[in-house]
Amino acid sequence: MAVHGTTEATAVRTPNRGLRWLRRNIIAIAGLCTLGYLILPNIVVMVFSFNKPNGRFNYQWQRFSTDAWSDPCGVADLCGSLGLSLQIALWATVGATVLGTMIAFALARYRFQARSGVNTLIFLPMAMPEVVMAASLATLFLNMGIQFGFWTILIAHIMFCLSFVVTAVKARVMSMDPRLEQAAQDLYASPLQTFLRVTLPIAAPGIASGALLSFALSFDDFIITNFNAGSTVTFPMFVWGSAQRGTPVQINVIGTAMFLVAVLCVVVGQLAGARKRSKRS
């Protein structure tokens, strides 16, 4: 009887132990499943970058090959559109980051009459569909007689990315402790010295996150670019056009390279943060 009772108690404890483990790790399991679901398309793109299709479409695995990696610019106009997208994304990031940082500081530090209205206008591009903003900008350029091309795309991307920079920088500025700047002033620091040595380093993570987000949004934007590009072809527009005629493997190569660069930046940032924390401790 004692042995039978011990067996029953063990059987009861085992499911309870499994349930407790599941409850403790359910968030981590859900996070890993979500991360795997998000990374799965990138893995498919990476795998098919080593494919050698028989026809024009790279949708079915045929045989392993590194021909596309050895000649990523083998398709006409592919690297040209890629360079154009990188150039637009870089300049759009610079413009949106500079303007967005100034707007964020103004909204967070100063009180003026139209402050609530500016806050509403800043959030509108994030709330409205991209097609609405794209059509509005295209109408504006047409009414002003501006020829569509590089500059219209750049202006449209700056306008689109501006809201994201303001949101990121404003959140960082509002969380800053004003006593740090007051302490610098008490130590006879000039306003410029206080900004460069205290305010700017503290706000730098928000500025960097807004800049990185702007670059990513500008580089892969299609809707706004399509409305305001004219005959100019960026990399997303090249991918969309080539998908109708046949998707070359080189597109998968470029996508894989961009994904690996993004992962490398995240890893380097995490390692740098961990190194800083270890030095402080």
Side-chain angles (χ1 to χ4, degrees), residues 10-38:
T10 304
V12 171
R13 284 198 301 270
T14 301
N16 291 338
R17 185 181 303 172
L19 287 175
R20 286 197 299 270
W21 180 88
L22 183 61
R23 289 171 182 173
R24 286 196 305 267
N25 299 279
I26 185 65
I27 297 178
I29 294 173
L32 290 174
C33 292
T34 304
L35 183 63
Y37 177 77
L38 293 175

PDB file of all heavy atoms in Angstrom, residues 10-38:
ATOM      1  N   THR A  10       3.960  10.416  -6.890  1.00  0.00           N
ATOM      2  CA  THR A  10       4.936  10.776  -7.922  1.00  0.00           C
ATOM      3  C   THR A  10       4.238  11.153  -9.224  1.00  0.00           C
ATOM      4  O   THR A  10       4.607  12.105  -9.909  1.00  0.00           O
ATOM      5  CB  THR A  10       5.908   9.612  -8.160  1.00  0.00           C
ATOM      6  OG1 THR A  10       6.524   9.269  -6.917  1.00  0.00           O
ATOM      7  CG2 THR A  10       6.970  10.006  -9.172  1.00  0.00           C
ATOM      8  N   ALA A  11       3.213  10.383  -9.575  1.00  0.00           N
ATOM      9  CA  ALA A  11       2.453  10.666 -10.794  1.00  0.00           C
ATOM     10  C   ALA A  11       1.753  12.010 -10.721  1.00  0.00           C
ATOM     11  O   ALA A  11       1.578  12.683 -11.729  1.00  0.00           O
ATOM     12  CB  ALA A  11       1.450   9.547 -11.051  1.00  0.00           C
ATOM     13  N   VAL A  12       1.331  12.402  -9.505  1.00  0.00           N
ATOM     14  CA  VAL A  12       0.663  13.693  -9.342  1.00  0.00           C
ATOM     15  C   VAL A  12       1.670  14.825  -9.421  1.00  0.00           C
ATOM     16  O   VAL A  12       1.421  15.874 -10.018  1.00  0.00           O
ATOM     17  CB  VAL A  12      -0.116  13.719  -8.009  1.00  0.00           C
ATOM     18  CG1 VAL A  12      -0.614  15.137  -7.731  1.00  0.00           C
ATOM     19  CG2 VAL A  12      -1.283  12.756  -8.059  1.00  0.00           C
ATOM     20  N   ARG A  13       2.864  14.621  -8.831  1.00  0.00           N
ATOM     21  CA  ARG A  13       3.863  15.683  -8.816  1.00  0.00           C
ATOM     22  C   ARG A  13       4.470  15.938 -10.191  1.00  0.00           C
ATOM     23  O   ARG A  13       4.822  17.048 -10.530  1.00  0.00           O
ATOM     24  CB  ARG A  13       4.986  15.337  -7.827  1.00  0.00           C
ATOM     25  CG  ARG A  13       4.599  15.525  -6.355  1.00  0.00           C
ATOM     26  CD  ARG A  13       5.853  15.599  -5.501  1.00  0.00           C
ATOM     27  NE  ARG A  13       6.661  14.389  -5.636  1.00  0.00           N
ATOM     28  CZ  ARG A  13       6.532  13.314  -4.859  1.00  0.00           C
ATOM     29  NH1 ARG A  13       5.615  13.298  -3.908  1.00  0.00           N
ATOM     30  NH2 ARG A  13       7.313  12.265  -5.039  1.00  0.00           N
ATOM     31  N   THR A  14       4.580  14.892 -11.010  1.00  0.00           N
ATOM     32  CA  THR A  14       5.231  15.043 -12.306  1.00  0.00           C
ATOM     33  C   THR A  14       4.476  16.000 -13.236  1.00  0.00           C
ATOM     34  O   THR A  14       5.078  16.918 -13.795  1.00  0.00           O
ATOM     35  CB  THR A  14       5.408  13.672 -12.972  1.00  0.00           C
ATOM     36  OG1 THR A  14       6.200  12.849 -12.116  1.00  0.00           O
ATOM     37  CG2 THR A  14       6.080  13.817 -14.322  1.00  0.00           C
ATOM     38  N   PRO A  15       3.144  15.864 -13.418  1.00  0.00           N
ATOM     39  CA  PRO A  15       2.425  16.833 -14.248  1.00  0.00           C
ATOM     40  C   PRO A  15       2.490  18.244 -13.676  1.00  0.00           C
ATOM     41  O   PRO A  15       2.597  19.218 -14.410  1.00  0.00           O
ATOM     42  CB  PRO A  15       0.995  16.307 -14.297  1.00  0.00           C
ATOM     43  CG  PRO A  15       1.090  14.871 -13.937  1.00  0.00           C
ATOM     44  CD  PRO A  15       2.239  14.765 -13.001  1.00  0.00           C
ATOM     45  N   ASN A  16       2.420  18.349 -12.325  1.00  0.00           N
ATOM     46  CA  ASN A  16       2.489  19.664 -11.707  1.00  0.00           C
ATOM     47  C   ASN A  16       3.835  20.318 -11.984  1.00  0.00           C
ATOM     48  O   ASN A  16       3.921  21.519 -12.236  1.00  0.00           O
ATOM     49  CB  ASN A  16       2.252  19.554 -10.209  1.00  0.00           C
ATOM     50  CG  ASN A  16       0.808  19.175  -9.881  1.00  0.00           C
ATOM     51  OD1 ASN A  16      -0.081  19.388 -10.716  1.00  0.00           O
ATOM     52  ND2 ASN A  16       0.580  18.615  -8.718  1.00  0.00           N
ATOM     53  N   ARG A  17       4.901  19.521 -11.927  1.00  0.00           N
ATOM     54  CA  ARG A  17       6.222  20.062 -12.203  1.00  0.00           C
ATOM     55  C   ARG A  17       6.315  20.526 -13.666  1.00  0.00           C
ATOM     56  O   ARG A  17       6.886  21.570 -13.965  1.00  0.00           O
ATOM     57  CB  ARG A  17       7.272  18.996 -11.920  1.00  0.00           C
ATOM     58  CG  ARG A  17       8.715  19.496 -12.050  1.00  0.00           C
ATOM     59  CD  ARG A  17       9.696  18.374 -11.771  1.00  0.00           C
ATOM     60  NE  ARG A  17       9.469  17.801 -10.449  1.00  0.00           N
ATOM     61  CZ  ARG A  17      10.080  16.702 -10.006  1.00  0.00           C
ATOM     62  NH1 ARG A  17      10.915  16.041 -10.818  1.00  0.00           N
ATOM     63  NH2 ARG A  17       9.841  16.243  -8.794  1.00  0.00           N
ATOM     64  N   GLY A  18       5.731  19.751 -14.575  1.00  0.00           N
ATOM     65  CA  GLY A  18       5.734  20.160 -15.978  1.00  0.00           C
ATOM     66  C   GLY A  18       4.931  21.420 -16.210  1.00  0.00           C
ATOM     67  O   GLY A  18       5.329  22.300 -16.976  1.00  0.00           O
ATOM     68  N   LEU A  19       3.792  21.548 -15.524  1.00  0.00           N
ATOM     69  CA  LEU A  19       2.979  22.752 -15.664  1.00  0.00           C
ATOM     70  C   LEU A  19       3.700  23.964 -15.102  1.00  0.00           C
ATOM     71  O   LEU A  19       3.637  25.060 -15.675  1.00  0.00           O
ATOM     72  CB  LEU A  19       1.633  22.560 -14.961  1.00  0.00           C
ATOM     73  CG  LEU A  19       0.637  21.623 -15.662  1.00  0.00           C
ATOM     74  CD1 LEU A  19      -0.586  21.421 -14.802  1.00  0.00           C
ATOM     75  CD2 LEU A  19       0.246  22.178 -17.030  1.00  0.00           C
ATOM     76  N   ARG A  20       4.385  23.789 -13.976  1.00  0.00           N
ATOM     77  CA  ARG A  20       5.127  24.904 -13.392  1.00  0.00           C
ATOM     78  C   ARG A  20       6.246  25.366 -14.331  1.00  0.00           C
ATOM     79  O   ARG A  20       6.478  26.558 -14.488  1.00  0.00           O
ATOM     80  CB  ARG A  20       5.707  24.497 -12.027  1.00  0.00           C
ATOM     81  CG  ARG A  20       4.663  24.410 -10.917  1.00  0.00           C
ATOM     82  CD  ARG A  20       5.337  24.420  -9.562  1.00  0.00           C
ATOM     83  NE  ARG A  20       6.234  23.279  -9.404  1.00  0.00           N
ATOM     84  CZ  ARG A  20       5.853  22.096  -8.894  1.00  0.00           C
ATOM     85  NH1 ARG A  20       4.598  21.923  -8.498  1.00  0.00           N
ATOM     86  NH2 ARG A  20       6.720  21.109  -8.778  1.00  0.00           N
ATOM     87  N   TRP A  21       6.931  24.404 -14.947  1.00  0.00           N
ATOM     88  CA  TRP A  21       7.997  24.772 -15.885  1.00  0.00           C
ATOM     89  C   TRP A  21       7.428  25.514 -17.086  1.00  0.00           C
ATOM     90  O   TRP A  21       8.002  26.490 -17.562  1.00  0.00           O
ATOM     91  CB  TRP A  21       8.714  23.511 -16.352  1.00  0.00           C
ATOM     92  CG  TRP A  21       9.825  23.801 -17.318  1.00  0.00           C
ATOM     93  CD1 TRP A  21      11.125  24.092 -17.016  1.00  0.00           C
ATOM     94  CD2 TRP A  21       9.724  23.848 -18.752  1.00  0.00           C
ATOM     95  NE1 TRP A  21      11.838  24.317 -18.160  1.00  0.00           N
ATOM     96  CE2 TRP A  21      11.006  24.176 -19.254  1.00  0.00           C
ATOM     97  CE3 TRP A  21       8.687  23.642 -19.651  1.00  0.00           C
ATOM     98  CZ2 TRP A  21      11.265  24.302 -20.607  1.00  0.00           C
ATOM     99  CZ3 TRP A  21       8.938  23.776 -20.998  1.00  0.00           C
ATOM    100  CH2 TRP A  21      10.212  24.098 -21.470  1.00  0.00           C
ATOM    101  N   LEU A  22       6.252  25.050 -17.567  1.00  0.00           N
ATOM    102  CA  LEU A  22       5.627  25.699 -18.716  1.00  0.00           C
ATOM    103  C   LEU A  22       5.197  27.117 -18.370  1.00  0.00           C
ATOM    104  O   LEU A  22       5.360  28.042 -19.172  1.00  0.00           O
ATOM    105  CB  LEU A  22       4.429  24.871 -19.193  1.00  0.00           C
ATOM    106  CG  LEU A  22       3.704  25.375 -20.452  1.00  0.00           C
ATOM    107  CD1 LEU A  22       4.659  25.388 -21.636  1.00  0.00           C
ATOM    108  CD2 LEU A  22       2.499  24.489 -20.749  1.00  0.00           C
ATOM    109  N   ARG A  23       4.653  27.302 -17.164  1.00  0.00           N
ATOM    110  CA  ARG A  23       4.221  28.639 -16.756  1.00  0.00           C
ATOM    111  C   ARG A  23       5.407  29.583 -16.617  1.00  0.00           C
ATOM    112  O   ARG A  23       5.309  30.768 -16.945  1.00  0.00           O
ATOM    113  CB  ARG A  23       3.453  28.547 -15.441  1.00  0.00           C
ATOM    114  CG  ARG A  23       2.079  27.899 -15.566  1.00  0.00           C
ATOM    115  CD  ARG A  23       1.479  27.654 -14.198  1.00  0.00           C
ATOM    116  NE  ARG A  23       0.181  26.990 -14.314  1.00  0.00           N
ATOM    117  CZ  ARG A  23      -0.507  26.525 -13.264  1.00  0.00           C
ATOM    118  NH1 ARG A  23      -0.013  26.648 -12.030  1.00  0.00           N
ATOM    119  NH2 ARG A  23      -1.668  25.939 -13.462  1.00  0.00           N
ATOM    120  N   ARG A  24       6.528  29.067 -16.118  1.00  0.00           N
ATOM    121  CA  ARG A  24       7.698  29.921 -15.957  1.00  0.00           C
ATOM    122  C   ARG A  24       8.312  30.321 -17.292  1.00  0.00           C
ATOM    123  O   ARG A  24       8.893  31.402 -17.419  1.00  0.00           O
ATOM    124  CB  ARG A  24       8.765  29.211 -15.110  1.00  0.00           C
ATOM    125  CG  ARG A  24       8.450  29.130 -13.628  1.00  0.00           C
ATOM    126  CD  ARG A  24       9.706  28.777 -12.842  1.00  0.00           C
ATOM    127  NE  ARG A  24      10.324  27.558 -13.325  1.00  0.00           N
ATOM    128  CZ  ARG A  24      10.085  26.341 -12.832  1.00  0.00           C
ATOM    129  NH1 ARG A  24       9.222  26.205 -11.833  1.00  0.00           N
ATOM    130  NH2 ARG A  24      10.687  25.287 -13.326  1.00  0.00           N
ATOM    131  N   ASN A  25       8.206  29.488 -18.301  1.00  0.00           N
ATOM    132  CA  ASN A  25       8.897  29.718 -19.567  1.00  0.00           C
ATOM    133  C   ASN A  25       7.962  29.996 -20.737  1.00  0.00           C
ATOM    134  O   ASN A  25       8.407  29.995 -21.882  1.00  0.00           O
ATOM    135  CB  ASN A  25       9.757  28.494 -19.913  1.00  0.00           C
ATOM    136  CG  ASN A  25      10.813  28.217 -18.884  1.00  0.00           C
ATOM    137  OD1 ASN A  25      11.881  28.834 -18.870  1.00  0.00           O
ATOM    138  ND2 ASN A  25      10.543  27.271 -17.984  1.00  0.00           N
ATOM    139  N   ILE A  26       6.668  30.206 -20.460  1.00  0.00           N
ATOM    140  CA  ILE A  26       5.716  30.390 -21.548  1.00  0.00           C
ATOM    141  C   ILE A  26       6.024  31.643 -22.365  1.00  0.00           C
ATOM    142  O   ILE A  26       5.906  31.657 -23.597  1.00  0.00           O
ATOM    143  CB  ILE A  26       4.255  30.440 -20.999  1.00  0.00           C
ATOM    144  CG1 ILE A  26       3.267  30.497 -22.153  1.00  0.00           C
ATOM    145  CG2 ILE A  26       4.090  31.618 -20.049  1.00  0.00           C
ATOM    146  CD1 ILE A  26       3.259  29.263 -23.008  1.00  0.00           C
ATOM    147  N   ILE A  27       6.486  32.724 -21.696  1.00  0.00           N
ATOM    148  CA  ILE A  27       6.800  33.957 -22.419  1.00  0.00           C
ATOM    149  C   ILE A  27       8.016  33.758 -23.314  1.00  0.00           C
ATOM    150  O   ILE A  27       8.045  34.195 -24.472  1.00  0.00           O
ATOM    151  CB  ILE A  27       7.024  35.112 -21.423  1.00  0.00           C
ATOM    152  CG1 ILE A  27       5.725  35.390 -20.638  1.00  0.00           C
ATOM    153  CG2 ILE A  27       7.483  36.365 -22.148  1.00  0.00           C
ATOM    154  CD1 ILE A  27       5.851  36.478 -19.610  1.00  0.00           C
ATOM    155  N   ALA A  28       9.034  33.067 -22.771  1.00  0.00           N
ATOM    156  CA  ALA A  28      10.229  32.813 -23.575  1.00  0.00           C
ATOM    157  C   ALA A  28       9.907  31.920 -24.773  1.00  0.00           C
ATOM    158  O   ALA A  28      10.393  32.143 -25.892  1.00  0.00           O
ATOM    159  CB  ALA A  28      11.310  32.178 -22.717  1.00  0.00           C
ATOM    160  N   ILE A  29       9.057  30.911 -24.556  1.00  0.00           N
ATOM    161  CA  ILE A  29       8.682  30.012 -25.659  1.00  0.00           C
ATOM    162  C   ILE A  29       7.903  30.775 -26.725  1.00  0.00           C
ATOM    163  O   ILE A  29       8.159  30.617 -27.930  1.00  0.00           O
ATOM    164  CB  ILE A  29       7.863  28.827 -25.119  1.00  0.00           C
ATOM    165  CG1 ILE A  29       8.728  27.954 -24.201  1.00  0.00           C
ATOM    166  CG2 ILE A  29       7.303  27.994 -26.258  1.00  0.00           C
ATOM    167  CD1 ILE A  29       7.963  26.866 -23.496  1.00  0.00           C
ATOM    168  N   ALA A  30       6.957  31.605 -26.294  1.00  0.00           N
ATOM    169  CA  ALA A  30       6.186  32.399 -27.257  1.00  0.00           C
ATOM    170  C   ALA A  30       7.083  33.367 -28.020  1.00  0.00           C
ATOM    171  O   ALA A  30       6.925  33.561 -29.237  1.00  0.00           O
ATOM    172  CB  ALA A  30       5.077  33.155 -26.535  1.00  0.00           C
ATOM    173  N   GLY A  31       8.050  33.970 -27.302  1.00  0.00           N
ATOM    174  CA  GLY A  31       8.969  34.884 -27.970  1.00  0.00           C
ATOM    175  C   GLY A  31       9.835  34.182 -29.003  1.00  0.00           C
ATOM    176  O   GLY A  31      10.049  34.700 -30.103  1.00  0.00           O
ATOM    177  N   LEU A  32      10.329  32.988 -28.665  1.00  0.00           N
ATOM    178  CA  LEU A  32      11.149  32.236 -29.614  1.00  0.00           C
ATOM    179  C   LEU A  32      10.339  31.790 -30.832  1.00  0.00           C
ATOM    180  O   LEU A  32      10.839  31.826 -31.962  1.00  0.00           O
ATOM    181  CB  LEU A  32      11.767  31.019 -28.914  1.00  0.00           C
ATOM    182  CG  LEU A  32      12.863  31.325 -27.884  1.00  0.00           C
ATOM    183  CD1 LEU A  32      13.284  30.046 -27.171  1.00  0.00           C
ATOM    184  CD2 LEU A  32      14.061  31.986 -28.543  1.00  0.00           C
ATOM    185  N   CYS A  33       9.097  31.385 -30.602  1.00  0.00           N
ATOM    186  CA  CYS A  33       8.241  30.989 -31.727  1.00  0.00           C
ATOM    187  C   CYS A  33       7.959  32.179 -32.645  1.00  0.00           C
ATOM    188  O   CYS A  33       7.992  32.059 -33.875  1.00  0.00           O
ATOM    189  CB  CYS A  33       6.939  30.384 -31.215  1.00  0.00           C
ATOM    190  SG  CYS A  33       7.124  28.794 -30.379  1.00  0.00           S
ATOM    191  N   THR A  34       7.690  33.337 -32.047  1.00  0.00           N
ATOM    192  CA  THR A  34       7.446  34.537 -32.849  1.00  0.00           C
ATOM    193  C   THR A  34       8.688  34.940 -33.616  1.00  0.00           C
ATOM    194  O   THR A  34       8.617  35.294 -34.807  1.00  0.00           O
ATOM    195  CB  THR A  34       6.999  35.692 -31.943  1.00  0.00           C
ATOM    196  OG1 THR A  34       5.840  35.293 -31.193  1.00  0.00           O
ATOM    197  CG2 THR A  34       6.669  36.923 -32.760  1.00  0.00           C
ATOM    198  N   LEU A  35       9.845  34.876 -32.951  1.00  0.00           N
ATOM    199  CA  LEU A  35      11.097  35.216 -33.627  1.00  0.00           C
ATOM    200  C   LEU A  35      11.384  34.257 -34.777  1.00  0.00           C
ATOM    201  O   LEU A  35      11.808  34.672 -35.861  1.00  0.00           O
ATOM    202  CB  LEU A  35      12.244  35.184 -32.618  1.00  0.00           C
ATOM    203  CG  LEU A  35      13.628  35.589 -33.140  1.00  0.00           C
ATOM    204  CD1 LEU A  35      13.611  37.036 -33.606  1.00  0.00           C
ATOM    205  CD2 LEU A  35      14.681  35.401 -32.051  1.00  0.00           C
ATOM    206  N   GLY A  36      11.139  32.970 -34.557  1.00  0.00           N
ATOM    207  CA  GLY A  36      11.337  32.005 -35.635  1.00  0.00           C
ATOM    208  C   GLY A  36      10.403  32.260 -36.804  1.00  0.00           C
ATOM    209  O   GLY A  36      10.801  32.128 -37.971  1.00  0.00           O
ATOM    210  N   TYR A  37       9.157  32.639 -36.510  1.00  0.00           N
ATOM    211  CA  TYR A  37       8.192  32.940 -37.572  1.00  0.00           C
ATOM    212  C   TYR A  37       8.634  34.156 -38.386  1.00  0.00           C
ATOM    213  O   TYR A  37       8.470  34.198 -39.617  1.00  0.00           O
ATOM    214  CB  TYR A  37       6.817  33.186 -36.955  1.00  0.00           C
ATOM    215  CG  TYR A  37       5.754  33.570 -37.948  1.00  0.00           C
ATOM    216  CD1 TYR A  37       5.157  32.628 -38.769  1.00  0.00           C
ATOM    217  CD2 TYR A  37       5.339  34.899 -38.054  1.00  0.00           C
ATOM    218  CE1 TYR A  37       4.185  32.989 -39.681  1.00  0.00           C
ATOM    219  CE2 TYR A  37       4.364  35.267 -38.963  1.00  0.00           C
ATOM    220  CZ  TYR A  37       3.782  34.308 -39.772  1.00  0.00           C
ATOM    221  OH  TYR A  37       2.817  34.675 -40.679  1.00  0.00           O
ATOM    222  N   LEU A  38       9.220  35.153 -37.705  1.00  0.00           N
ATOM    223  CA  LEU A  38       9.663  36.352 -38.404  1.00  0.00           C
ATOM    224  C   LEU A  38      10.932  36.103 -39.223  1.00  0.00           C
ATOM    225  O   LEU A  38      11.115  36.699 -40.291  1.00  0.00           O
ATOM    226  CB  LEU A  38       9.920  37.479 -37.386  1.00  0.00           C
ATOM    227  CG  LEU A  38       8.694  38.012 -36.649  1.00  0.00           C
ATOM    228  CD1 LEU A  38       9.116  39.015 -35.589  1.00  0.00           C
ATOM    229  CD2 LEU A  38       7.710  38.662 -37.615  1.00  0.00           C
TER     230      LEU A  38
END
